[in-house]
Amino acid sequence: MAPPTTITHHHPMNLRSMLEEEKLGHYNFFDWYKSLRTVLKQEKKDYILESHVPDEPPSVPKLAHDAWLKNIDDSLDVSCLMLSTMIPDLQQDLELFTTFDMIEHLKQMFSQQPRTERFEAVRALHPCKMEEIGNVSTHVLKMKSHLD
């Protein structure tokens, strides 16, 4: 008796788990955004982050209307993905935003963070001088803690 044949279906690699591992919080936007773009690129939905979804076109050919519907569906899918991978207070603040407005708001919200952190690090490092009789390793650890 011949063994039963099995049909194997090719399932694309699921990268969404990258986003589920670490939710967007107040200090990891750039890592989260990089992971989000990777996931959306793999799913061929990264275009959603680039512009607003247009309004429903007036009477247009079925093909154009179907493309608009796909854009709406992709945008909803992406916004749900984004919200589900955020901490609750960010979800609450952004749940009524469109996908494009949500990502633009997040970019604006977190764009100041690296500059502020660099400024604070330089401000802390500037007055640091090693004492004449001080321990070099203690001084290096103190400087390293400011950089971290």
Side-chain angles (χ1 to χ4, degrees), residues 3-4 14 41 46 50 55 57 62-63 65-66 70 74 77-78 90 93-94 105 115:
N14 182 3
K41 186 175 182 179
D46 54 332
E50 304 302 323
D55 291 333
K62 181 176 176 5
L63 191 59
H65 190 264
D66 290 348
K70 181 186 180 325
D74 287 352
D77 188 36
V78 171
L90 287 175
D93 292 345
L94 299 170
H105 183 76
R115 277 185 257 174

Side-chain angles (χ1 to χ4, degrees), residues 13-19 32-51 70-71 73-85 99-100 102-103 106-107:
M13 174 174 48
N14 182 3
L15 296 179
R16 285 187 178 213
S17 62
M18 285 178 15
L19 288 171
W32 176 86
Y33 183 60
K34 186 172 60 172
S35 296
L36 176 68
R37 296 224 29 119
T38 301
V39 169
L40 295 180
K41 186 175 182 179
Q42 189 255 344
E43 295 181 0
K44 297 175 179 54
K45 295 179 183 177
D46 54 332
Y47 72 96
I48 291 296
L49 300 179
E50 304 302 323
S51 64
K70 181 186 180 325
N71 199 304
D73 288 345
D74 287 352
S75 181
L76 179 62
D77 188 36
V78 171
S79 67
C80 289
L81 173 64
M82 290 168 61
L83 288 169
S84 71
T85 59
T99 307
F100 179 75
M102 189 185 311
I103 200 66
L106 287 167
K107 285 178 185 177

Side-chain angles (χ1 to χ4, degrees), residues 125-137:
L125 287 170
H126 185 64
C128 289
K129 290 184 179 179
M130 191 173 129
E131 298 172 9
E132 278 189 42
I133 56 171
N135 184 327
V136 173
S137 60

Side-chain angles (χ1 to χ4, degrees), residues 3 6 11 21 27-29 31 33 37-38 42 66 69 73 78 87 89 93 106 113-117 126 130 138-139:
T6 57
H11 296 297
E21 287 175 12
Y27 301 104
N28 65 338
F29 172 73
D31 292 334
Y33 183 60
R37 296 224 29 119
T38 301
Q42 189 255 344
D66 290 348
L69 286 175
D73 288 345
V78 171
I87 60 173
D89 62 324
D93 292 345
L106 287 167
Q113 186 177 343
R115 277 185 257 174
T116 303
E117 289 175 357
H126 185 64
M130 191 173 129
T138 303
H139 181 71

